Amino acid sequence: MKKYLSNKTIQREVTVEGTMTFAKLENGLHTSDFVCCENVQMEAFSGKCKVQIMRDGNVYITELPKRFRNTPIFREDNSSLSLGMNGKYYFVFTLDEGREEELPELLVRQAKAIARKVIDSLEFNG
């Protein structure tokens, strides 16, 4: 069995012959198409991947791991408090552009509301 750099073994591998076309679009983005020359039955796949095209024409495609999002502990209309995978708390506040006049009042009010919720949960658990 082949092994990748991350020491994870390949569960199933299919080798096919075909033609790969590389191009660069007018907007500067790269594109690549592979056309298989064989009759192969495979499971369809779509995902976010890292693609490396080497100078010698070799192509390496690796699926990126699923992104894990922080689960909010407390929420308000425009803000939330969550605990990240790194053990840090994150307070996120979002507001549409053009509502700058409301920004200070909303930010303070919602931050205080979440702080009250944190204090109440600590008193309840303690």
Side-chain angles (χ1 to χ4, degrees):
M1 266 195 185
K2 290 185 180 179
K3 289 197 171 209
Y4 287 116
L5 296 176
S6 64
N7 292 331
K8 296 198 178 187
T9 56
I10 297 174
Q11 188 176 23
R12 183 171 164 253
E13 184 176 292
V14 177
T15 303
V16 295
E17 290 187 23
T19 304
M20 184 167 273
T21 305
F22 303 102
K24 191 169 185 179
L25 303 174
E26 290 177 358
N27 61 6
L29 297 176
H30 294 86
T31 183
S32 179
D33 294 316
F34 178 79
V35 178
C36 182
C37 297
E38 303 175 29
N39 187 10
V40 180
Q41 294 295 318
M42 290 182 55
E43 180 183 341
F45 164 77
S46 176
K48 293 186 181 273
C49 300
K50 173 184 177 183
V51 178
Q52 290 178 287
I53 300 175
M54 310 311 268
R55 293 175 188 221
D56 61 1
N58 290 336
V59 178
Y60 302 100
I61 302 173
T62 308
E63 183 180 10
L64 296 173
K66 183 181 177 196
R67 177 179 172 201
F68 291 100
R69 296 184 180 263
N70 298 335
T71 304
I73 300 169
F74 299 111
R75 286 187 180 183
E76 283 295 314
D77 293 338
N78 303 87
S79 59
S80 66
L81 178 74
S82 60
L83 179 61
M85 300 290 242
N86 57 0
K88 295 182 180 183
Y89 287 96
Y90 290 89
F91 176 79
V92 178
F93 179 84
T94 57
L95 189 66
D96 293 330
E97 187 177 21
R99 296 179 61 190
E100 291 84 6
E101 307 83 33
E102 302 172 64
L103 179 66
E105 189 268 326
L106 287 174
L107 180 58
V108 170
R109 182 171 48 82
Q110 292 183 25
K112 283 182 179 180
I114 288 182
R116 265 188 249 110
K117 290 178 183 180
V118 170
I119 291 169
D120 291 344
S121 73
L122 292 175
E123 289 174 356
F124 181 73
N125 292 332

